[in-house]
Amino acid sequence: MLTAAPARHPSAAARAMLATLALVGAFGGVVAPSAPATLKIATWNMEWFLTSATFNGLKGACTRDDRAHRRNPRSIPCDVAATLERSATDLAAMAQVAGMLNADLVAIEEVDGPAAASQVFRGYQFCFTGGREVQNTGFAVRRGLPYRCGPDLMELSLGDELRRGATLVLYPGGTRELHLLAVHLKSGCARGPLASRAHACERLARQAPALHAWVAAEQRAGHRYAVLGDFNRDLLHERDDGLWARIGADTDGARLVNTADTAAFHNCYPGQTHTGYIDYILLSSALLPAWVPGSFERLTYAPADAWRLKLSDHCPVAVRLRLD
């Protein structure tokens, strides 16, 4: 595997807007924008992403612990209120990230809804989960692509407002039909055993059957499908009885392929302490022939922007598919 390297920026306008972003691909070099015959899909956790008006309306009544937040899902934690209010400059920079990503479809996490997402994803339409939480999961779909929003995968929420799965069908009824599930799984158990009594690991273990059931149902239906989003889990470095064994193994005829499996790992910016991916795009085995070789990429932030601007503690991951 070659070491990934920053790519040249695609245009003078992009250099002027955000000259320090670097596009990192699994094999290095520049990944071209989606050609008409390909579909670029991505995932991006945007970290407590709200409109400025909503943020300002909530910061004065912020919540100081999880229990208080659960009583009022339309709230933000006080540490978020104190540190993550985004300026017009921050929003413009995030919009430039989305523009450079240039994906046809993006699973987005920790986003309040369409009004918030439209600040960054211009020329897109949206499907979002229907909870009252300010952190919702959904999809941004490039305008002009045929799609149908699906029902929330309620079982992933474990009875809470948070962490419902978002579903969507792209090219419904056509030969390119693709079924997608966007997830934002429980945080706090990146590598620990799922059999642990730790609260985070226990809840993640309880999410696994719902995720596997969706995969198995799609497999039985003969659909091409993908699961993408923030798994909050290092699927490539966990123990035998981990989340991957429960959702990706060849059980009930369901088989998933992790597109990050052979990709070099890159933090979103220097100074992050992560040692492996937790944001993934998982493809069904039937979709594997459509995966464009070498197309896995991660759009990283340059240090100056990561330290100066309020972007996100995650950065986008993407692959390209050829659905002919």
Side-chain angles (χ1 to χ4, degrees):
M1 178 65 64
L2 298 177
T3 302
R8 293 189 300 274
H9 291 184
S11 68
R15 289 195 298 271
M17 286 291 293
L18 194 61
T20 48
L21 274 172
L23 182 61
V24 177
F27 289 84
V30 177
V31 179
S34 299
T38 66
L39 178 80
K40 187 175 183 180
I41 64 173
T43 181
W44 187 16
N45 182 318
M46 300 176 70
E47 192 184 11
W48 290 100
F49 197 76
L50 294 74
T51 65
S52 296
T54 300
F55 192 100
N56 287 329
L58 296 177
K59 69 179 182 180
C62 63
T63 51
R64 298 190 178 278
D65 55 48
D66 286 344
R67 183 173 298 179
H69 179 70
R70 289 181 185 280
R71 287 198 299 267
N72 180 18
R74 293 299 301 173
S75 65
I76 57 176
C78 290
D79 60 338
V80 171
T83 62
L84 205 56
E85 184 172 357
R86 290 180 169 98
S87 67
T89 301
D90 299 324
L91 295 175
M94 292 187 76
Q96 187 64 23
V97 173
M100 294 182 71
L101 179 63
N102 193 31
D104 299 299
L105 177 142
V106 188
I108 44 182
E109 302 86 46
E110 295 196 28
V111 179
D112 191 24
S118 63
Q119 299 175 116
V120 165
F121 288 97
R122 296 156 188 172
Y124 289 76
Q125 295 177 292
F126 305 99
C127 293
F128 272 99
T129 51
R132 293 180 298 158
E133 271 278 355
V134 296
Q135 285 190 333
N136 284 292
T137 301
F139 292 97
V141 185
R142 192 187 299 280
R143 194 175 298 276
L145 287 178
Y147 71 96
R148 182 178 70 242
C149 301
D152 293 358
L153 185 58
M154 300 291 292
E155 292 82 359
L156 282 179
S157 70
L158 303 179
D160 291 340
E161 289 284 335
L162 189 62
R163 304 193 192 281
R164 299 179 182 185
T167 66
L168 177 144
V169 180
L170 199 60
Y171 303 111
T175 58
R176 292 184 171 189
E177 184 171 282
L178 178 60
H179 292 240
L180 298 153
L181 170 65
V183 301
H184 181 203
L185 300 185
K186 175 62 181 170
S187 60
C189 188
R191 291 189 182 178
L194 293 191
S196 166
R197 293 186 179 181
H199 175 72
C201 294
E202 182 271 336
R203 289 189 70 82
L204 183 62
R206 288 176 57 198
Q207 288 180 304
L211 185 51
H212 180 263
W214 185 89
V215 168
E218 293 296 308
Q219 187 77 19
R220 288 193 300 271
H223 296 151
R224 295 193 296 184
Y225 59 91
V227 183
L228 58 172
D230 177 6
F231 287 73
N232 273 311
R233 181 77 174 174
D234 187 347
L235 297 178
L236 300 176
H237 298 96
E238 59 180 0
R239 298 176 183 176
D240 291 342
D241 185 25
L243 184 64
W244 180 249
R246 301 186 185 197
I247 66 170
D250 191 5
T251 56
D252 296 335
R255 180 69 180 173
L256 291 169
V257 176
N258 191 335
T259 59
D261 189 33
T262 59
F265 174 70
H266 300 275
N267 273 313
C268 292
Y269 54 88
Q272 279 193 317
T273 58
H274 304 308
T275 57
Y277 289 113
I278 60 173
D279 303 285
Y280 294 104
I281 299 172
L282 311 180
L283 306 180
S284 65
S285 55
L287 194 55
L288 185 58
W291 180 19
V292 176
S295 66
F296 179 91
E297 65 184 59
R298 197 179 207 194
L299 188 65
T300 64
Y301 312 131
D305 291 325
W307 300 332
R308 178 176 62 91
L309 301 171
K310 295 180 176 68
L311 300 175
S312 173
D313 54 354
H314 296 244
C315 51
V317 168
V319 299
R320 285 183 292 134
L321 305 173
R322 188 171 289 112
L323 296 178
D324 295 339

